[in-house]
Amino acid sequence: MTLTPTARPAPARETWPQVHVPPGAPRPRIVLEHPDFYLVNKPPMWLTHHTRGRHDVPSVLEYLQHDLDEPLLAPPHRLDRETSGAQLLSRDTASAREFFFLFKAHRVTKTYLCLVHGHPDWDETTLDAPLGFVGVSGDNAVQIRQGVTLDGRSARTDFRRLETREHPVHGPLTLVEATPRSGRLHQIRAHLSHLHLPMVGDKIYGRDPQAFVDFVDGTITARQSERLILTRQALHAWRVAFPWSGATVQAEVPLPADMANLWAEAQVSPAG
């Protein structure tokens, strides 16, 4: 059945600012269209929306506002620039308000896929551990780094081991499903680090605590880049589910090429 969106005023398309997209870069793709919202496949290295100081990076919101000629599009949640996958966009103020209440009531379930170093000794586990800023010290030069702290904000993440493999160059890897039950900064990445399962490509919580600082300074070495494996954190918003108009909406977004190709290069582990 074709869903016809309600009419909404919009300025002429030529009045919209063009969003610069690097040649050959993947573009946002609509996975699900509903009269009230879109579910979009956000490519890695795109912002959800422009923030101060980052207008050099393409933004999903501004790109689709121009491409679809829908000025009222708005993101009820945000994916980090390096994170790929399922991004919701409301299409009018009424749907934006409804999403606000759904997220506030924790009725939107987001499930992620991540590639991590190592093989966990569990099939499923839940980490219920508060997260907060760990503070700059001799061991940490990253101001925004989160960690499990006694005075942190409550944070709970459900993890499931989907499969373990052995990469011929990069060693043991695991495909992990993560479902955050709270919405803390860097929650999945910080919790995985606490479980001693650093995420592939993660410059803040990965195997090299200096990688993020060197990356920002432009002094990251070839060896550090090799250890990261990917140019971005291997975190993908895979599935989203929520109630809407008396039904349950659920959709999945497949792994992007960089994560899928790395995983395909690895061999199935006997333990997996």
Side-chain angles (χ1 to χ4, degrees):
M1 179 178 67
T2 302
L3 298 174
T4 303
T6 56
R8 48 180 57 81
R13 184 178 296 271
E14 58 267 19
T15 67
W16 283 95
Q18 292 286 344
V19 175
H20 173 69
V21 181
R27 295 171 185 246
R29 181 175 59 84
I30 295 173
V31 176
L32 175 64
E33 179 177 355
H34 185 277
D36 299 326
F37 60 84
Y38 292 107
L39 179 69
V40 177
N41 184 354
K42 173 192 168 301
M45 314 313 291
W46 281 64
L47 294 170
T48 295
H49 57 84
H50 276 139
T51 56
R52 288 179 297 177
R54 292 315 308 261
H55 288 273
D56 58 319
V57 179
S59 149
V60 171
L61 176 63
E62 283 79 7
Y63 175 82
L64 288 177
Q65 282 178 330
H66 178 274
D67 191 58
L68 301 172
D69 205 12
E70 295 195 35
L72 298 182
L73 290 181
H77 67 106
R78 184 180 66 86
L79 296 178
D80 289 343
R81 181 174 66 95
E82 293 190 4
T83 303
S84 58
Q87 172 70 56
L88 288 163
L89 294 175
S90 59
R91 299 181 70 175
D92 53 35
T93 54
S95 57
R97 188 180 307 110
E98 178 66 19
F99 274 121
F100 172 80
F101 289 114
L102 286 176
F103 275 94
K104 187 176 182 179
H106 304 289
R107 301 188 68 192
V108 180
T109 301
K110 295 185 292 178
T111 304
Y112 293 77
L113 295 178
C114 16
L115 292 177
V116 303
H117 293 281
H119 292 165
D121 58 4
W122 41 259
D123 291 326
E124 296 184 7
T125 192
T126 294
L127 182 58
D128 193 346
L131 291 174
F133 292 100
V134 299
V136 176
S137 65
D139 297 326
N140 173 46
V142 182
Q143 289 186 336
I144 61 174
R145 179 177 274 128
Q146 304 291 295
V148 174
T149 60
L150 292 177
D151 59 349
R153 301 179 68 187
S154 61
R156 176 187 168 197
T157 312
D158 297 333
F159 293 105
R160 186 159 69 100
R161 178 178 65 89
L162 298 180
E163 189 178 359
T164 58
R165 293 188 181 184
E166 194 77 22
H167 194 280
V169 176
H170 305 299
L173 299 176
T174 301
L175 181 64
V176 172
E177 175 188 291
T179 304
R181 302 301 181 181
S182 47
R184 306 305 178 209
L185 179 65
H186 301 168
Q187 178 172 323
I188 295 172
R189 298 157 62 195
H191 271 176
L192 283 170
S193 176
H194 187 74
L195 293 172
H196 306 292
L197 295 167
M199 189 180 293
V200 170
D202 196 331
K203 303 176 189 69
I204 296 180
Y205 303 94
R207 297 184 293 179
D208 181 356
Q210 186 65 24
F212 180 76
V213 174
D214 292 344
F215 174 78
V216 172
D217 289 344
T219 59
I220 192 167
T221 66
R223 175 56 181 158
Q224 286 174 302
S225 297
E226 289 174 4
R227 292 198 74 205
L228 286 169
I229 305 175
L230 298 181
T231 58
R232 58 100 174 193
Q233 62 210 25
L235 181 61
H236 177 72
W238 174 42
R239 178 190 296 146
V240 64
F242 55 92
W244 198 268
S245 298
T248 298
V249 176
Q250 179 170 301
E252 295 179 0
V253 177
L255 278 178
D258 58 349
M259 290 178 63
N261 290 342
L262 175 63
W263 189 239
E265 292 169 359
Q267 301 297 316
V268 177
S269 168

